[in-house]
Amino acid sequence: MTGNPAVLVEHLHKRYRDNVAVQDISFSVAPGEVFGILGTNGAGKTTTVELIAGLRAPDGGRVRVLGLDPQRDRRAVRHLLGVQLQEARLHDSLTVAELVELYRGFYPDPRPASELLEMVELTAKRGTRFDRLSGGQQQRLSIALALAGRPKVVVLDELTTGLDPRARRRIWASIASLREEAVLLVSHAMDEVEELCDRVALLEAGRLIALGTPAELVAESGTSSLEEAFV
Ligand code: ATP
C-alpha cells in the first residue's frame, strides 16, 4: 500500500462561465473512511465529486486519487473509482444478473457476481428485470455495480433519497460493511450522514464552511443533532 490519501483535494476552483461553483476547497479522505459532502442545492457538491472523478477539469488547485491526477492518469483513475449511477433508466430490460455481468466486463479483475449480489442482498433477484425491482432494490443494485471493479474510492450521490426507512437501513448496512474502500457520500440526509460518515465537509455557495466528525460539527453548533445544526 502507498501512503497516499485515497482522495486529496487542494485549493480546488471551478467556475461555469461567470458562475463560481467551487472556491478554494481542500480536504483529504483516508482509505477506509466514509466522507460525507453536505450542502444545500447549488452548494457545489456534485461539481466537487465530478472534479474528483475526472469528469471535469479544475480551473485551479489539484485533485489526487491515490496519488494520481484524474486528468492526466484517466484510465488508471477510472479503475480506482466506483461511481454510483443516477441514470438507471438505461438498464430497464436487463436482468440483475445480466447487468452485473455487463459491469464486471468493464474491469480487469472484477468481484465475483455472487459476492456482489450477496453484499447488497439481491441474490434472490438474479433473474429479475431491472424495471421490476423496487426503488430500494434498484438503488442497492446500483451500489453493487459501482463496486464491480473492486474500486478503492466509491462515489455515492443521494444514496437513499426517496426510499422507505427499511430500504434505507438495508442500504446503510451495505455501505457500513465496506472496509477498505474510501467512500464519498453526497447527501442532503443528515440522519444518513450521522449513521455512516466518519467525517463530513459542509459546503455553502462553493466554499467549505465546516469540516469534522459529525459529533464535532454538532458540538460546534451547540445543538444535539446534525439535523438541528444545519437545517
Ligand atoms: P444539488 O444539491 O442541487 O445537486 P450541488 O451542491 O451538487 O447542488 P452543483 O451541481 O455542484 O451543486 O452546482 C454548483 C453551482 O454550479 C450551482 O450554482 C449550479 O447552478 C452551477 N452549475 C452546475 N453545473 C453547471 C453547468 N453544467 N453549467 C453551468 N452552471 C452549472
Side-chain angles (χ1 to χ4, degrees), residues 14-227:
K14 179 69 186 174
R15 87 184 78 77
Y16 300 106
R17 296 174 189 238
D18 41 6
N19 183 4
V20 179
V22 165
Q23 292 193 66
D24 197 27
I25 289 185
S26 302
F27 59 77
S28 74
V29 182
E33 188 173 29
V34 182
F35 189 83
I37 302 182
L38 304 186
T40 50
N41 292 135
K45 305 181 296 296
T46 301
T47 301
T48 301
V49 295
E50 287 176 349
L51 291 166
I52 292 167
L55 300 172
R56 296 184 185 281
D59 296 315
R62 63 177 196 143
V63 176
R64 293 291 181 272
V65 176
L66 286 159
L68 300 174
D69 178 344
Q71 291 300 311
R72 218 179 39 212
D73 309 303
R74 273 170 192 276
R75 245 180 100 78
V77 169
R78 202 174 315 138
H79 283 157
L80 293 172
L81 283 171
V83 180
Q84 182 203 8
L85 297 172
Q86 296 290 307
E87 201 41 70
R89 276 277 105 77
L90 296 168
H91 314 309
D92 270 3
S93 64
L94 295 182
T95 65
V96 168
E98 287 166 343
L99 280 165
V100 167
E101 283 315 313
L102 177 67
Y103 276 73
R104 291 181 69 248
F106 297 148
Y107 300 99
D109 177 29
R111 278 197 168 93
S114 56
E115 183 184 325
L116 286 168
L117 292 176
E118 273 165 36
M119 285 172 87
V120 294
E121 298 180 54
L122 284 177
T123 306
K125 297 287 176 187
R126 297 185 82 260
T128 305
R129 276 173 52 142
F130 183 81
D131 60 1
R132 307 277 154 80
L133 297 174
S134 73
Q137 290 163 350
Q138 291 185 351
Q139 202 82 319
R140 295 213 302 277
L141 180 60
S142 73
I143 294 166
L145 299 178
L147 297 173
R150 302 183 193 275
K152 301 286 188 235
V153 178
V154 185
V155 178
L156 305 169
D157 198 343
E158 301 297 339
L159 185 62
T160 61
T161 305
L163 301 183
D164 71 47
R166 184 156 164 268
R168 298 181 80 209
R169 294 234 152 251
R170 291 179 80 164
I171 288 177
W172 291 349
S174 312
I175 304 306
S177 73
L178 299 176
R179 285 285 167 266
E180 290 169 24
E181 296 87 345
V183 178
L184 288 181
L185 180 76
V186 174
S187 187
H188 290 287
M190 299 297 177
D191 57 345
E192 176 167 291
V193 167
E194 256 175 328
E195 175 84 20
L196 291 178
C197 293
D198 299 307
R199 282 187 309 139
V200 173
L202 181 67
L203 308 189
E204 190 177 287
R207 291 188 179 277
L208 180 71
I209 60 164
L211 180 67
T213 66
E216 284 166 354
L217 299 193
V218 169
E220 275 169 30
S221 72
T223 58
S224 59
S225 71
L226 276 184
E227 193 86 50

